C-alpha cells in the first residue's frame, strides 16, 4: 500500500477525536477559570480599587491580554504545525497552558507583594493566550484530518466541544468550591484549587496525545515533500481572501460568547442584584447543552450548506440580546437560565460548524498556519476587547440596549466574512485517498 492509499484505523480515529476534545477542554478550562475569576474575584485580589467598576475593568484587561497573545501563538505554533507536524505542536501547547494555569494557582495577591502580583498575573495570562493560540488549529486538524472529509463538520467539531466542556468544568469546580467554603475562605485562597487542578488534566491530555501518530494528511504532505518553508508568507500572499474570511466569521460568535459567559456575570450582580452563583449555574447549564449541540450542528453542516447554517446563527445572535435583557430584567433565576441556554444554543449553531468552515478555506499544506492565524487574529478584534467595551458602554449609557447594538454590528462583520468565504472542496488532492479502514 502506498502512502497515497494509507487507510485510517478506526481506533486511531477515535483516539484523535478524544485527543482533540480533551486538549481543547483542558486549555479552555484554564481560560474559563480565569474568565470567571476575572469577573468575580481578581478585581479585588490583584487590582484593588475603591471603585468596583475600575477593579473589574482592570481584571478584564488581563482577560484581553490572553486574547492579544493568541496571534503570537498562532504565528509560532501554526507555522511549526505545518512544518514539523500537528502532534508535536499540540504537546507543546498543552504543556504551556497547563504550567501557566498551575502557576496562577500559586500566585501571591496584591496584599502580599503589591503591584508585582498584577504584573505576574499578566505574564501568566499571556502564556495562556499563546498556548490557546497554537492549540485550536492543531486540535481541529487532528480530528478532521483523521476523519472522512465528507463529514468534516462533525469530526472538526471535536475541538469545538472543548470550550463548553472546559467552561462547564471550570464553572463547576469554582461553584463547588464556593459552595463548600465560606465566602471568606473561598476569596482568600480556596479559588486556587481550581487552577492547581490543571496539573492533573495536563497529565491526562498528554497520555492521550503521546499515544497518537500524526495525521494521515500531514504524513502524505511529508511523503510528497510538500511541506512549506515559509507558511505565514504563503498564507498572507496566496490565500489572503481565505484568511480575511476566516477572521471575520469568528467575530460575532466571539462577542456573543463573551457577552453571555463573562460579562453577564458582572451585569446581573451589579445591575440586577442577583448572586454570582445564579449566573454561574446558568452558564453551566448552557454549556452542558452546548456539549451536545456542537457536534449536532457540526454534523448538520455536513448535510446542508455550511455557510447558510452559519448565517442563520449570525442573524439569531443579532436579535437575541433584544429579547434576553428585557426577559431577565425582573431578576428571575429560571428566566436567566432559559435566556442563557438559548444564547449558547445560538452560539453553538455557529461554533459547531466553524472549525470545518475555517479550515476548508485553506489548502492542506497551509491549514495549520492559516486556521491558527484566522482564529487568533479574530480574537483581537472580537473576543479580546468585548468585555472592556461592554463594561464601558454600560458605564456610559447605563442601558442594556447598547450591548445589543454592539453585537448586531459584529453580526454584520461576520456576514461579510461569510460572503467572502467559499463552500468546501471536499475531495482535495491530498485527502482524497485517506479513508477509514
Amino acid at each position: 500500500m502506498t502512502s497515497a492509499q494509507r487507510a485510517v484505523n478506526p481506533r486511531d480515529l477515535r483516539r484523535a477525536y478524544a485527543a482533540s476534545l480533551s486538549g481543547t477542554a483542558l486549555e479552555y478550562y484554564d481560560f474559563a477559570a480565569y474568565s470567571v475569576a476575572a469577573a468575580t474575584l481578581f478585581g479585588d485580589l490583584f487590582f484593588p480599587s475603591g471603585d468596583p467598576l475600575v477593579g473589574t475593568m482592570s481584571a478584564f484587561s488581563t482577560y484581553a491580554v490572553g486574547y492579544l497573545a493568541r496571534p503570537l501563538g498562532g504565528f509560532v505554533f501554526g507555522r511549526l504545525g505545518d512544518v514539523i507536524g500537528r502532534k508535536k505542536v499540540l504537546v507543546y501547547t498543552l504543556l504551556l497552558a497547563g504550567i501557566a494555569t498551575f502557576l496562577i494557582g500559586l500566585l501571591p495577591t496584591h496584599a502580599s507583594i503589591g503591584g508585582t502580583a498584577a504584573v505576574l498575573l499578566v505574564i501568566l495570562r499571556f502564556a495562556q493566550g499563546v498556548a490557546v493560540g497554537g492549540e485550536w488549529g492543531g486540535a481541529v486538524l487532528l480530528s478532521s484530518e483523521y476523519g472522512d472529509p465528507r463529514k468534516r463538520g462533525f469530526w472538526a467539531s471535536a475541538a469545538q466541544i472543548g470550550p463548553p466542556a472546559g467552561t462547564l468544568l471550570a464553572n463547576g469546580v469554582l461553584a463547588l468550591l464556593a459552595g463548600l467554603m465560606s465566602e471568606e475562605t473561598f476569596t482568600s485562597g480556596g479559588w486556587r484549587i481550581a487552577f492547581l487542578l490543571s496539573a492533573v488534566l495536563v497529565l491526562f491530555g498528554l497520555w492521550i496525545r503521546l499515544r497518537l501518530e500524526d495525521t494521515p494528511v500531514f504524513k502524505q504532505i511529508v511523503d510528497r515533500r510538500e511541506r512549506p518553508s515559509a507558511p505565514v508568507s504563503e498564507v498572507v500572499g496566496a490565500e489572503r481572501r481565505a484568511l480575511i474570511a476566516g477572521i471575520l466569521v469568528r467575530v460575532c460568535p466571539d462577542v456573543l460568547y463573551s457577552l453571555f459567559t463573562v460579562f453577564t456575570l458582572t451585569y446581573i450582580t451589579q445591575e440586577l442584584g442577583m448572586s454570582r452563583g445564579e449566573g454561574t449555574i446558568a452558564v453551566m447549564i448552557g454549556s452542558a447543552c452546548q456539549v451536545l449541540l456542537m457536534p449536532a450542528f457540526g454534523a448538520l453542516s455536513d448535510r446542508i450548506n455550511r455557510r447558510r447554517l452559519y448565517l442563520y446563527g449570525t442573524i439569531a445572535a443579532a436579535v437575541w440580546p433584544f429579547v434576553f435583557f428585557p426577559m431577565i430584567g425582573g431578576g428571575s433565576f429560571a428566566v436567566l437560565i432559559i435566556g442563557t441556554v438559548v444564547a449558547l444554543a445560538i452560539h453553538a449553531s455557529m461554533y459547531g460548524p466553524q472549525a470545518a468552515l475555517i479550515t476548508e478555506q485553506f489548502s492542506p499544506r497551509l491549514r495549520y498556519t492559516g486556521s491558527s492565524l484566522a482564529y487568533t487574529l479574530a480574537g483581537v478584534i472580537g473576543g479580546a476587547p468585548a468585555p472592556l467595551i461592554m463594561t464601558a458602554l454600560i458605564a456610559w449609557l447605563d442601558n442594556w440596549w447598547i450591548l445589543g447594538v454592539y453585537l448586531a454590528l459584529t453580526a454584520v462583520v461576520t456576514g461579510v466574512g461569510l460572503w467572502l468565504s467559499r463552500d468546501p472542496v471536499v475531495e482535495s488532492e491530498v485527502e482524497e485517498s485517506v479513508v477509514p479502514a
Side-chain angles (χ1 to χ4, degrees):
M1 179 178 293
T2 67
S3 62
Q5 297 170 321
R6 185 183 290 117
V8 174
N9 188 309
R11 183 179 60 182
D12 289 338
L13 184 57
R14 292 191 294 271
R15 283 180 179 174
Y17 193 90
S20 177
L21 193 160
S22 61
T24 52
L26 165 65
E27 298 205 15
Y28 276 89
Y29 168 86
D30 299 345
F31 226 67
Y34 182 93
S35 298
V36 175
T40 57
L41 293 170
F42 283 175
D44 293 331
L45 294 176
F46 292 94
F47 308 92
S49 169
D51 185 344
L53 180 62
V54 173
T56 300
M57 290 191 71
S58 298
F60 277 154
S61 294
T62 55
Y63 174 85
V65 165
Y67 273 98
L68 295 174
R70 289 185 183 187
L72 177 60
F75 180 89
V76 174
F77 291 118
R79 180 187 182 282
L80 288 175
D82 282 327
V83 175
I84 68 173
R86 291 35 167 153
K87 172 188 169 179
K88 290 181 180 179
V89 171
L90 288 173
V91 170
Y92 302 152
T93 60
L94 190 65
L95 284 171
L96 179 59
I99 291 171
T101 304
F102 184 80
L103 291 177
I104 289 176
L106 300 176
L107 194 63
T109 63
H110 186 277
S112 299
I113 59 174
T116 304
V119 174
L120 293 175
L121 181 63
V122 170
I123 292 173
L124 293 175
R125 181 62 172 171
F126 186 86
Q128 275 188 328
V130 170
V132 172
E135 165 72 19
W136 184 82
V140 168
L141 298 185
L142 193 64
S143 56
S144 65
E145 289 187 349
Y146 264 98
D148 185 345
R150 293 166 297 184
K151 298 179 181 178
R152 185 179 290 141
F154 171 75
W155 291 113
S157 70
Q160 306 302 83
I161 301 172
T167 299
L168 179 63
L169 184 59
N171 279 280
V173 169
L174 287 167
L176 179 63
L177 293 174
L180 293 175
M181 302 175 184
S182 66
E183 182 76 14
E184 181 181 358
T185 301
F186 179 70
T187 56
S188 64
W191 59 269
R192 297 180 182 276
I193 297 174
F195 291 86
L196 297 176
L197 282 175
S198 64
V200 178
L201 299 175
V202 165
L203 292 176
F204 176 73
L206 286 175
W207 176 70
I208 293 179
R209 288 188 173 181
L210 289 173
R211 298 174 66 199
L212 192 67
E213 293 186 4
D214 219 318
T215 72
V217 171
F218 181 75
K219 288 181 177 180
Q220 288 189 19
I221 292 171
V222 172
D223 290 346
R224 298 180 185 189
R225 300 182 180 179
E226 294 179 349
R227 283 184 289 182
S229 58
V232 175
S233 298
E234 287 193 50
V235 168
V236 174
E239 303 195 6
R240 189 179 301 114
R241 175 168 177 159
L243 179 60
I244 295 173
I247 292 171
L248 297 185
V249 298
R250 277 190 50 83
V251 174
C252 179
D254 271 8
V255 175
L256 175 70
Y257 194 74
S258 294
L259 175 59
F260 289 102
T261 64
V262 180
F263 180 80
T264 298
L265 294 178
T266 301
Y267 180 83
I268 65 169
T269 56
Q270 296 185 1
E271 300 292 331
L272 301 180
M274 301 179 71
S275 71
R276 175 180 64 206
E278 289 175 320
T280 301
I281 291 172
V283 171
M284 287 174 60
I285 294 173
S287 297
C289 293
Q290 281 196 310
V291 170
L292 301 176
L293 290 173
M294 293 292 188
F297 278 115
L300 181 61
S301 75
D302 290 323
R303 296 179 175 272
I304 67 175
N305 184 278
R306 205 169 343 262
R307 295 164 68 204
R308 186 179 301 118
L309 175 62
Y310 207 102
L311 178 61
Y312 295 156
T314 304
I315 295 171
V319 172
W320 187 243
F322 297 97
V323 179
F324 174 79
F325 285 103
M327 281 177 57
I328 67 171
S332 168
F333 178 41
V335 172
L336 175 65
I337 292 175
I338 294 171
T340 304
V341 168
V342 173
L344 294 183
I346 293 171
H347 179 261
S349 71
M350 295 179 283
Y351 203 72
Q354 184 183 92
L357 177 66
I358 291 177
T359 57
E360 64 199 8
Q361 303 301 311
F362 302 96
S363 57
R365 60 189 294 276
L366 297 173
R367 269 196 196 140
Y368 204 140
T369 301
S371 301
S372 296
L373 289 177
Y375 174 81
T376 56
L377 292 174
V380 173
I381 62 176
L388 287 171
I389 292 174
M390 293 171 192
T391 303
L393 289 175
I394 284 292
W396 175 41
L397 293 179
D398 194 25
N399 197 306
W400 62 264
W401 66 264
I402 193 63
L403 302 179
V405 172
Y406 171 44
L407 184 58
L409 291 175
T410 68
V412 174
V413 172
T414 288
V416 174
L418 290 171
W419 176 73
L420 290 172
S421 67
R422 65 179 180 128
D423 286 322
V425 178
V426 173
E427 302 293 345
S428 73
E429 180 182 358
V430 174
E431 292 178 293
E432 59 186 0
S433 54
V434 182
V435 296

